[in-house]
Amino acid sequence: VPIQRPTINTINIPDFNWLSGFVSGEGNFFVDIFKSDSNKIGYQVKLRLSIVQHSRDRKLLELIVKHLDAGIVNIHSENAFVYKITKLVDLTKKIIPLFEKYPIHGVKQLDFLDFCEVAKLISEGKHLTTDGLNLIRTIKNRMNTKRKID
């Protein structure tokens, strides 16, 4: 007989090590590439850190926003919310340095390192060239579910 899960009312993020562990298990680093008439090359590259949680954990996601002073929480689906950061300045000035100091663990560390590599390419303006965009596509195609572990 199913029972209802207890509600845990988290009132603070314990520390950055906890956050790193939480993102190691629940977070995802994405590179989004989409068509855009606003760029000469015809494509835009956007980085995104996302954490999706059941709707009962919405307050936890809101605490992460407050703790990092970055990102937003939105409805993801009927029973879930998503915390996401897409602002490049927040990603490069807050998130990347945070996870360099308090490392992500497991296979997700590889996704984080690829994410950092793309952030560097973007900051150098290489995403605005065909060669740079192709390199970013190559990096994107080895991340997350496309990653091959030997």
Side-chain angles (χ1 to χ4, degrees):
V1 176
I3 61 169
Q4 187 171 352
R5 288 183 179 212
T7 301
I8 299 171
N9 291 317
T10 306
I11 57 171
N12 66 358
I13 303 300
D15 59 37
F16 288 119
N17 285 307
W18 181 91
L19 187 59
S20 174
F22 187 71
V23 171
S24 293
E26 299 293 328
N28 288 292
F29 296 95
F30 293 103
V31 176
D32 297 318
I33 301 172
F34 51 92
K35 288 190 178 204
S36 172
D37 294 333
S38 64
N39 287 344
K40 192 177 191 179
I41 196 166
Y43 290 89
Q44 185 174 356
V45 179
K46 199 160 197 154
L47 297 174
R48 176 172 42 106
L49 166 62
S50 296
I51 304 170
V52 177
Q53 292 291 288
H54 190 277
S55 58
R56 70 179 162 264
D57 296 318
R58 177 182 183 173
K59 288 185 184 201
L60 172 62
L61 296 177
E62 291 169 347
L63 281 172
I64 294 172
V65 171
K66 185 177 175 184
H67 193 71
L68 294 175
D69 190 29
I72 59 171
V73 175
N74 287 327
I75 295 173
H76 180 265
S77 62
E78 183 180 342
N79 294 318
F81 282 85
V82 60
Y83 165 75
K84 61 183 170 181
I85 302 176
T86 58
K87 287 184 183 178
L88 187 60
V89 69
D90 286 341
L91 292 167
T92 58
K93 301 291 183 193
K94 295 177 182 180
I95 300 306
I96 290 174
L98 173 71
F99 294 131
E100 287 174 338
K101 185 172 181 180
Y102 302 93
I104 299 289
H105 292 283
V107 70
K108 195 126 340 157
Q109 171 70 2
L110 300 174
D111 293 330
F112 173 69
L113 294 174
D114 286 341
F115 186 83
C116 293
E117 187 176 348
V118 173
K120 184 174 188 248
L121 292 168
I122 291 171
S123 70
E124 295 170 349
K126 294 191 177 164
H127 65 297
L128 301 173
T129 68
T130 301
D131 288 343
L133 184 61
N134 288 336
L135 177 56
I136 290 170
R137 282 189 173 121
T138 299
I139 295 166
K140 172 185 169 65
N141 286 330
R142 69 179 182 223
M143 292 176 69
N144 301 312
T145 58
K146 297 175 185 170
R147 182 165 304 283
K148 304 268 189 266
I149 304 296
D150 295 330

